[in-house]
Amino acid sequence: MKTINTLAELEKKLSEKEIAVESEQNNWFKTVAEGKCSFLPFKTTENYINTALSGSPSETKAVLRQIIPSADEFVVKSYELGDPLGEHKFSPVERLVHRYKNRALVLVTDNCDAFCRHCFRRSFSGQKAGSLSDSQLNNIIDYLKTNNEIKEILLSGGDPLTLSNKRLAKIIGSIKKERPDLIIRICSRVPVVNPERINDELVSVLSNYTGLWLVTHFNHPLELSAESSHALNLFVSAGIPVLNQTVLLKDVNDNVNVLAELFNKLLLNKVKPYYLFQGDLAAGTSHLRVPLRRGLKIVAELKEIVSGMALPRYSVDLPGGGGKITLPSERYTITDDGDFFIIKGSDNEEYRYPAN
């Protein structure tokens, strides 16, 4: 894998298609170089840039928008949060988040092969926390042994598939040894940004475990390159079921036809579109967030042109730890005061999410 993590490397690669780095993107690199701000680092792969450059000008711009930082990230709205899902208050053990009764999430690493600019866990990802230690893993396993209501474990981060096969096997094997009944979800964008990482050896390691699922993160149909499709086929052929979660992103995929093409292409690759997420209120991501009111309109139109099998659940995480809800909803009380949607969560608390 060839990594691109400097402005010079990025400019050189984009020049192959006579594309220039935009002024707001240049401003991000300049500000960071001056040491004025510390934000999510810039890193991507040559493979992902090649995929972006393979499309039409509008497709290229949409895909690159996900990965090239902008000075817009320095704009933090009053309602944006460093921990938009409130994960810290649901962390009884270091590196474990137990927000929902029957499932928990483990942050196995802070590393990614590419740092997405819409990342909601930007206060953790790329911040040199490193990979999960043996002592942290043992503490997590002790917690799982005494909390039998947990039936699923999500391995996330960062990206679990940036770990070595040996380390992945150690983590999954250790958990499964003590809790063989657990379903394991590996949440990864590696099949998108670094598909060459997916090979027979990795798939052979993962296929040893029962109840293991892969959850990918494709946001645009151009991302389903020949290499990414091959990576997905390796998982599916080995009997590992694959789901996909997409984030609704402004000027990336906030278009009914783009989303329909993505979801149908995923089905062709035997991947079930699982979630379409409304952007979280992470600090510095407002320029990528689609207004919730527009998101609801897009989903309503989407239902008219794709099958039920191709339609993911449109969901929003209530800010600050209110949990995930599916929209539109008959279960939760939602009112619109013009500027905000006021949503009453399962805890009977009211949460405010910007409408526009």
Side-chain angles (χ1 to χ4, degrees):
M1 176 188 72
K2 179 172 173 49
T3 297
I4 295 175
N5 58 12
T6 68
L7 176 59
E9 291 171 333
L10 177 63
E11 288 177 323
K12 181 180 179 181
K13 190 63 187 173
L14 295 183
S15 68
E16 294 177 7
K17 285 294 184 78
E18 298 182 346
I19 297 173
V21 174
E22 298 174 2
S23 61
E24 286 303 299
Q25 296 168 345
N26 256 316
N27 287 342
W28 183 93
F29 285 98
K30 180 182 178 182
T31 303
V32 170
E34 292 172 349
K36 294 181 180 178
C37 297
S38 176
F39 281 76
L40 182 72
F42 166 64
K43 183 170 72 168
T44 188
T45 65
E46 185 175 54
N47 182 286
Y48 190 69
I49 297 294
N50 285 338
T51 296
L53 297 180
S54 71
S56 67
S58 62
E59 290 174 325
T60 294
K61 187 172 183 178
V63 173
L64 290 178
R65 184 169 164 80
Q66 299 178 75
I67 212 70
I68 303 178
S70 166
D72 290 329
E73 294 181 29
F74 301 134
V75 178
V76 178
K77 302 291 186 180
S78 60
Y79 48 75
E80 291 182 327
L81 304 166
D83 180 19
L85 273 57
E87 291 183 325
H88 282 92
K89 64 184 178 184
F90 295 107
S91 183
V93 177
E94 191 176 12
R95 292 293 190 99
L96 178 89
V97 180
H98 188 188
R99 170 62 183 82
Y100 304 98
K101 181 178 179 180
N102 67 340
R103 57 197 184 274
L105 180 143
V106 179
L107 301 171
V108 298
T109 178
D110 74 323
N111 186 40
C112 292
D113 283 337
F115 291 122
C116 301
R117 306 323 300 177
H118 55 276
C119 179
F120 71 86
R121 208 174 278 133
R122 59 206 297 115
S123 61
F124 175 77
S125 297
Q127 302 304 316
K128 304 187 186 306
S131 59
L132 188 72
S133 69
D134 285 344
S135 62
Q136 290 169 334
L137 175 60
N138 290 336
N139 290 337
I140 287 170
I141 290 172
D142 287 342
Y143 184 84
L144 295 175
K145 286 162 64 176
T146 57
N147 289 269
N148 290 320
E149 73 275 12
I150 297 175
K151 303 300 180 186
E152 294 184 34
I153 285 290
L154 286 72
L155 302 184
S156 187
D159 197 311
L161 295 187
T162 62
L163 297 176
S164 68
N165 293 351
K166 183 178 179 180
R167 190 60 187 162
L168 272 173
K170 172 68 182 293
I171 293 171
I172 299 171
S174 298
I175 292 173
K176 278 289 198 176
K177 180 180 179 181
E178 299 297 335
R179 288 290 308 275
D181 59 310
L182 283 176
I183 297 165
I184 304 285
R185 291 192 227 170
I186 295 179
C187 306
S188 177
R189 192 150 157 82
V190 165
V192 184
V193 301
N194 183 23
E196 60 263 39
R197 164 71 176 103
I198 314 304
N199 54 35
D200 291 334
E201 181 183 357
L202 170 64
V203 171
S204 177
V205 168
L206 297 180
S207 63
N208 287 326
Y209 303 104
T210 58
L212 186 142
W213 292 64
L214 175 69
V215 183
T216 57
H217 182 178
F218 288 89
N219 289 328
H220 192 279
L222 188 64
E223 294 176 334
L224 279 157
S225 64
E227 295 92 341
S228 289
S229 293
H230 175 69
L232 294 172
N233 184 59
L234 288 177
F235 285 111
V236 173
S237 297
I240 298 172
V242 185
L243 304 172
N244 185 75
Q245 55 189 38
T246 294
V247 180
L248 187 61
L249 296 168
K250 184 179 179 181
D251 296 331
V252 175
N253 58 15
D254 55 336
N255 177 286
V256 173
N257 293 324
V258 170
L259 288 173
E261 181 183 355
L262 170 63
F263 299 148
N264 284 321
K265 286 182 75 172
L266 285 167
L267 284 183
L268 280 173
N269 282 276
K270 301 182 181 179
V271 177
K272 171 69 177 82
Y274 181 40
Y275 275 118
L276 173 63
F277 282 122
Q278 175 65 24
D280 295 313
L281 301 184
T285 61
S286 62
H287 61 295
L288 291 169
R289 204 160 43 241
V290 176
L292 182 54
R293 185 174 282 114
R294 173 160 165 73
L296 288 165
K297 183 175 183 293
I298 288 172
V299 171
E301 294 174 1
L302 197 58
K303 289 178 179 178
E304 300 298 320
I305 62 172
V306 300
S307 69
M309 191 164 61
L311 188 70
R313 300 170 66 179
Y314 180 47
S315 297
V316 61
D317 275 291
L318 300 180
K324 187 185 291 92
I325 67 167
T326 299
L327 297 175
S329 174
E330 296 179 359
R331 178 182 175 186
Y332 301 99
T333 302
I334 303 175
T335 56
D336 182 352
D337 74 356
D339 294 326
F340 288 86
F341 283 102
I342 302 170
I343 306 170
K344 186 170 287 188
S346 58
D347 56 3
N348 215 35
E349 295 289 328
E350 288 187 347
Y351 297 88
R352 296 166 64 84
Y353 191 100
N356 299 302

PDB file of all heavy atoms in Angstrom, residues 317-339:
ATOM      1  N   ASP A 317     -27.985   9.451  14.970  1.00  0.00           N
ATOM      2  CA  ASP A 317     -27.593   9.299  16.368  1.00  0.00           C
ATOM      3  C   ASP A 317     -27.930  10.591  17.097  1.00  0.00           C
ATOM      4  O   ASP A 317     -27.424  11.663  16.745  1.00  0.00           O
ATOM      5  CB  ASP A 317     -26.094   9.008  16.471  1.00  0.00           C
ATOM      6  CG  ASP A 317     -25.779   7.532  16.308  1.00  0.00           C
ATOM      7  OD1 ASP A 317     -26.139   6.759  17.208  1.00  0.00           O
ATOM      8  OD2 ASP A 317     -25.194   7.164  15.275  1.00  0.00           O
ATOM      9  N   LEU A 318     -28.778  10.483  18.100  1.00  0.00           N
ATOM     10  CA  LEU A 318     -29.155  11.676  18.850  1.00  0.00           C
ATOM     11  C   LEU A 318     -27.930  12.225  19.579  1.00  0.00           C
ATOM     12  O   LEU A 318     -27.212  11.473  20.238  1.00  0.00           O
ATOM     13  CB  LEU A 318     -30.279  11.339  19.831  1.00  0.00           C
ATOM     14  CG  LEU A 318     -31.564  10.809  19.174  1.00  0.00           C
ATOM     15  CD1 LEU A 318     -32.615  10.493  20.222  1.00  0.00           C
ATOM     16  CD2 LEU A 318     -32.108  11.812  18.163  1.00  0.00           C
ATOM     17  N   PRO A 319     -27.662  13.511  19.433  1.00  0.00           N
ATOM     18  CA  PRO A 319     -26.400  14.087  19.914  1.00  0.00           C
ATOM     19  C   PRO A 319     -26.194  13.947  21.421  1.00  0.00           C
ATOM     20  O   PRO A 319     -27.125  14.103  22.206  1.00  0.00           O
ATOM     21  CB  PRO A 319     -26.491  15.557  19.488  1.00  0.00           C
ATOM     22  CG  PRO A 319     -27.945  15.801  19.241  1.00  0.00           C
ATOM     23  CD  PRO A 319     -28.521  14.516  18.785  1.00  0.00           C
ATOM     24  N   GLY A 320     -24.948  13.628  21.775  1.00  0.00           N
ATOM     25  CA  GLY A 320     -24.574  13.570  23.179  1.00  0.00           C
ATOM     26  C   GLY A 320     -24.870  12.262  23.874  1.00  0.00           C
ATOM     27  O   GLY A 320     -24.699  12.147  25.087  1.00  0.00           O
ATOM     28  N   GLY A 321     -25.321  11.258  23.104  1.00  0.00           N
ATOM     29  CA  GLY A 321     -25.541   9.943  23.709  1.00  0.00           C
ATOM     30  C   GLY A 321     -26.986   9.491  23.769  1.00  0.00           C
ATOM     31  O   GLY A 321     -27.315   8.559  24.513  1.00  0.00           O
ATOM     32  N   GLY A 322     -27.855  10.129  22.990  1.00  0.00           N
ATOM     33  CA  GLY A 322     -29.264   9.743  23.001  1.00  0.00           C
ATOM     34  C   GLY A 322     -29.566   8.452  22.290  1.00  0.00           C
ATOM     35  O   GLY A 322     -30.666   7.915  22.397  1.00  0.00           O
ATOM     36  N   GLY A 323     -28.583   7.944  21.541  1.00  0.00           N
ATOM     37  CA  GLY A 323     -28.768   6.673  20.851  1.00  0.00           C
ATOM     38  C   GLY A 323     -29.259   6.842  19.429  1.00  0.00           C
ATOM     39  O   GLY A 323     -29.612   7.932  18.976  1.00  0.00           O
ATOM     40  N   LYS A 324     -29.273   5.727  18.722  1.00  0.00           N
ATOM     41  CA  LYS A 324     -29.619   5.698  17.307  1.00  0.00           C
ATOM     42  C   LYS A 324     -31.114   5.493  17.133  1.00  0.00           C
ATOM     43  O   LYS A 324     -31.709   4.621  17.764  1.00  0.00           O
ATOM     44  CB  LYS A 324     -28.835   4.549  16.648  1.00  0.00           C
ATOM     45  CG  LYS A 324     -28.943   4.476  15.149  1.00  0.00           C
ATOM     46  CD  LYS A 324     -28.241   3.253  14.603  1.00  0.00           C
ATOM     47  CE  LYS A 324     -26.739   3.296  14.733  1.00  0.00           C
ATOM     48  NZ  LYS A 324     -26.207   2.697  15.967  1.00  0.00           N
ATOM     49  N   ILE A 325     -31.715   6.293  16.260  1.00  0.00           N
ATOM     50  CA  ILE A 325     -33.122   6.072  15.910  1.00  0.00           C
ATOM     51  C   ILE A 325     -33.262   6.079  14.390  1.00  0.00           C
ATOM     52  O   ILE A 325     -32.469   6.692  13.683  1.00  0.00           O
ATOM     53  CB  ILE A 325     -34.064   7.125  16.529  1.00  0.00           C
ATOM     54  CG1 ILE A 325     -33.818   8.512  15.918  1.00  0.00           C
ATOM     55  CG2 ILE A 325     -33.929   7.167  18.044  1.00  0.00           C
ATOM     56  CD1 ILE A 325     -34.910   9.508  16.256  1.00  0.00           C
ATOM     57  N   THR A 326     -34.258   5.362  13.907  1.00  0.00           N
ATOM     58  CA  THR A 326     -34.536   5.293  12.473  1.00  0.00           C
ATOM     59  C   THR A 326     -35.606   6.327  12.127  1.00  0.00           C
ATOM     60  O   THR A 326     -36.592   6.490  12.845  1.00  0.00           O
ATOM     61  CB  THR A 326     -35.006   3.883  12.085  1.00  0.00           C
ATOM     62  OG1 THR A 326     -33.972   2.946  12.394  1.00  0.00           O
ATOM     63  CG2 THR A 326     -35.327   3.800  10.604  1.00  0.00           C
ATOM     64  N   LEU A 327     -35.392   7.025  11.026  1.00  0.00           N
ATOM     65  CA  LEU A 327     -36.326   8.041  10.553  1.00  0.00           C
ATOM     66  C   LEU A 327     -36.905   7.666   9.196  1.00  0.00           C
ATOM     67  O   LEU A 327     -36.222   7.027   8.398  1.00  0.00           O
ATOM     68  CB  LEU A 327     -35.608   9.386  10.436  1.00  0.00           C
ATOM     69  CG  LEU A 327     -35.051   9.982  11.734  1.00  0.00           C
ATOM     70  CD1 LEU A 327     -34.261  11.243  11.429  1.00  0.00           C
ATOM     71  CD2 LEU A 327     -36.158  10.276  12.722  1.00  0.00           C
ATOM     72  N   PRO A 328     -38.139   8.084   8.879  1.00  0.00           N
ATOM     73  CA  PRO A 328     -39.103   8.680   9.819  1.00  0.00           C
ATOM     74  C   PRO A 328     -39.538   7.660  10.866  1.00  0.00           C
ATOM     75  O   PRO A 328     -39.407   6.453  10.650  1.00  0.00           O
ATOM     76  CB  PRO A 328     -40.251   9.114   8.912  1.00  0.00           C
ATOM     77  CG  PRO A 328     -40.172   8.204   7.737  1.00  0.00           C
ATOM     78  CD  PRO A 328     -38.709   7.910   7.533  1.00  0.00           C
ATOM     79  N   SER A 329     -40.056   8.147  11.985  1.00  0.00           N
ATOM     80  CA  SER A 329     -40.344   7.251  13.104  1.00  0.00           C
ATOM     81  C   SER A 329     -41.743   7.479  13.654  1.00  0.00           C
ATOM     82  O   SER A 329     -42.197   8.609  13.786  1.00  0.00           O
ATOM     83  CB  SER A 329     -39.310   7.467  14.215  1.00  0.00           C
ATOM     84  OG  SER A 329     -39.635   6.722  15.363  1.00  0.00           O
ATOM     85  N   GLU A 330     -42.422   6.375  13.956  1.00  0.00           N
ATOM     86  CA  GLU A 330     -43.706   6.450  14.648  1.00  0.00           C
ATOM     87  C   GLU A 330     -43.516   6.238  16.151  1.00  0.00           C
ATOM     88  O   GLU A 330     -44.395   6.540  16.948  1.00  0.00           O
ATOM     89  CB  GLU A 330     -44.666   5.394  14.095  1.00  0.00           C
ATOM     90  CG  GLU A 330     -45.039   5.598  12.628  1.00  0.00           C
ATOM     91  CD  GLU A 330     -45.976   4.528  12.114  1.00  0.00           C
ATOM     92  OE1 GLU A 330     -46.312   3.613  12.901  1.00  0.00           O
ATOM     93  OE2 GLU A 330     -46.387   4.605  10.942  1.00  0.00           O
ATOM     94  N   ARG A 331     -42.335   5.725  16.521  1.00  0.00           N
ATOM     95  CA  ARG A 331     -42.069   5.408  17.917  1.00  0.00           C
ATOM     96  C   ARG A 331     -41.649   6.628  18.718  1.00  0.00           C
ATOM     97  O   ARG A 331     -41.973   6.761  19.892  1.00  0.00           O
ATOM     98  CB  ARG A 331     -40.982   4.336  18.001  1.00  0.00           C
ATOM     99  CG  ARG A 331     -40.581   3.957  19.413  1.00  0.00           C
ATOM    100  CD  ARG A 331     -39.476   2.928  19.426  1.00  0.00           C
ATOM    101  NE  ARG A 331     -39.014   2.646  20.765  1.00  0.00           N
ATOM    102  CZ  ARG A 331     -37.980   1.870  21.062  1.00  0.00           C
ATOM    103  NH1 ARG A 331     -37.282   1.307  20.083  1.00  0.00           N
ATOM    104  NH2 ARG A 331     -37.621   1.676  22.316  1.00  0.00           N
ATOM    105  N   TYR A 332     -40.895   7.539  18.075  1.00  0.00           N
ATOM    106  CA  TYR A 332     -40.334   8.677  18.791  1.00  0.00           C
ATOM    107  C   TYR A 332     -41.067   9.960  18.425  1.00  0.00           C
ATOM    108  O   TYR A 332     -41.415  10.185  17.264  1.00  0.00           O
ATOM    109  CB  TYR A 332     -38.844   8.819  18.467  1.00  0.00           C
ATOM    110  CG  TYR A 332     -38.038   7.601  18.839  1.00  0.00           C
ATOM    111  CD1 TYR A 332     -37.699   6.650  17.871  1.00  0.00           C
ATOM    112  CD2 TYR A 332     -37.635   7.381  20.148  1.00  0.00           C
ATOM    113  CE1 TYR A 332     -36.961   5.525  18.210  1.00  0.00           C
ATOM    114  CE2 TYR A 332     -36.900   6.255  20.500  1.00  0.00           C
ATOM    115  CZ  TYR A 332     -36.562   5.335  19.525  1.00  0.00           C
ATOM    116  OH  TYR A 332     -35.851   4.214  19.862  1.00  0.00           O
ATOM    117  N   THR A 333     -41.288  10.804  19.420  1.00  0.00           N
ATOM    118  CA  THR A 333     -41.953  12.085  19.208  1.00  0.00           C
ATOM    119  C   THR A 333     -40.962  13.077  18.602  1.00  0.00           C
ATOM    120  O   THR A 333     -39.899  13.325  19.166  1.00  0.00           O
ATOM    121  CB  THR A 333     -42.487  12.646  20.537  1.00  0.00           C
ATOM    122  OG1 THR A 333     -43.386  11.689  21.116  1.00  0.00           O
ATOM    123  CG2 THR A 333     -43.214  13.958  20.309  1.00  0.00           C
ATOM    124  N   ILE A 334     -41.311  13.606  17.424  1.00  0.00           N
ATOM    125  CA  ILE A 334     -40.431  14.542  16.727  1.00  0.00           C
ATOM    126  C   ILE A 334     -41.219  15.812  16.412  1.00  0.00           C
ATOM    127  O   ILE A 334     -42.270  15.756  15.787  1.00  0.00           O
ATOM    128  CB  ILE A 334     -39.884  13.932  15.423  1.00  0.00           C
ATOM    129  CG1 ILE A 334     -39.132  12.618  15.719  1.00  0.00           C
ATOM    130  CG2 ILE A 334     -38.973  14.916  14.705  1.00  0.00           C
ATOM    131  CD1 ILE A 334     -38.671  11.888  14.487  1.00  0.00           C
ATOM    132  N   THR A 335     -40.708  16.946  16.878  1.00  0.00           N
ATOM    133  CA  THR A 335     -41.327  18.232  16.564  1.00  0.00           C
ATOM    134  C   THR A 335     -40.306  19.108  15.842  1.00  0.00           C
ATOM    135  O   THR A 335     -39.103  18.943  16.000  1.00  0.00           O
ATOM    136  CB  THR A 335     -41.825  18.941  17.832  1.00  0.00           C
ATOM    137  OG1 THR A 335     -40.739  19.079  18.751  1.00  0.00           O
ATOM    138  CG2 THR A 335     -42.933  18.143  18.501  1.00  0.00           C
ATOM    139  N   ASP A 336     -40.823  20.041  15.060  1.00  0.00           N
ATOM    140  CA  ASP A 336     -39.984  20.904  14.231  1.00  0.00           C
ATOM    141  C   ASP A 336     -40.242  22.343  14.641  1.00  0.00           C
ATOM    142  O   ASP A 336     -41.355  22.853  14.475  1.00  0.00           O
ATOM    143  CB  ASP A 336     -40.338  20.665  12.758  1.00  0.00           C
ATOM    144  CG  ASP A 336     -39.495  21.478  11.789  1.00  0.00           C
ATOM    145  OD1 ASP A 336     -38.734  22.336  12.250  1.00  0.00           O
ATOM    146  OD2 ASP A 336     -39.610  21.250  10.578  1.00  0.00           O
ATOM    147  N   ASP A 337     -39.205  23.017  15.210  1.00  0.00           N
ATOM    148  CA  ASP A 337     -39.406  24.415  15.616  1.00  0.00           C
ATOM    149  C   ASP A 337     -38.856  25.389  14.583  1.00  0.00           C
ATOM    150  O   ASP A 337     -38.716  26.573  14.852  1.00  0.00           O
ATOM    151  CB  ASP A 337     -38.796  24.665  16.993  1.00  0.00           C
ATOM    152  CG  ASP A 337     -37.266  24.735  16.993  1.00  0.00           C
ATOM    153  OD1 ASP A 337     -36.661  24.504  15.922  1.00  0.00           O
ATOM    154  OD2 ASP A 337     -36.688  25.027  18.047  1.00  0.00           O
ATOM    155  N   GLY A 338     -38.538  24.853  13.387  1.00  0.00           N
ATOM    156  CA  GLY A 338     -38.017  25.690  12.302  1.00  0.00           C
ATOM    157  C   GLY A 338     -36.527  25.544  12.134  1.00  0.00           C
ATOM    158  O   GLY A 338     -36.042  25.194  11.059  1.00  0.00           O
ATOM    159  N   ASP A 339     -35.772  25.778  13.183  1.00  0.00           N
ATOM    160  CA  ASP A 339     -34.317  25.669  13.121  1.00  0.00           C
ATOM    161  C   ASP A 339     -33.810  24.302  13.565  1.00  0.00           C
ATOM    162  O   ASP A 339     -32.754  23.857  13.127  1.00  0.00           O
ATOM    163  CB  ASP A 339     -33.665  26.746  14.000  1.00  0.00           C
ATOM    164  CG  ASP A 339     -33.918  28.145  13.474  1.00  0.00           C
ATOM    165  OD1 ASP A 339     -33.992  28.300  12.234  1.00  0.00           O
ATOM    166  OD2 ASP A 339     -34.051  29.067  14.293  1.00  0.00           O
TER     167      ASP A 339
END
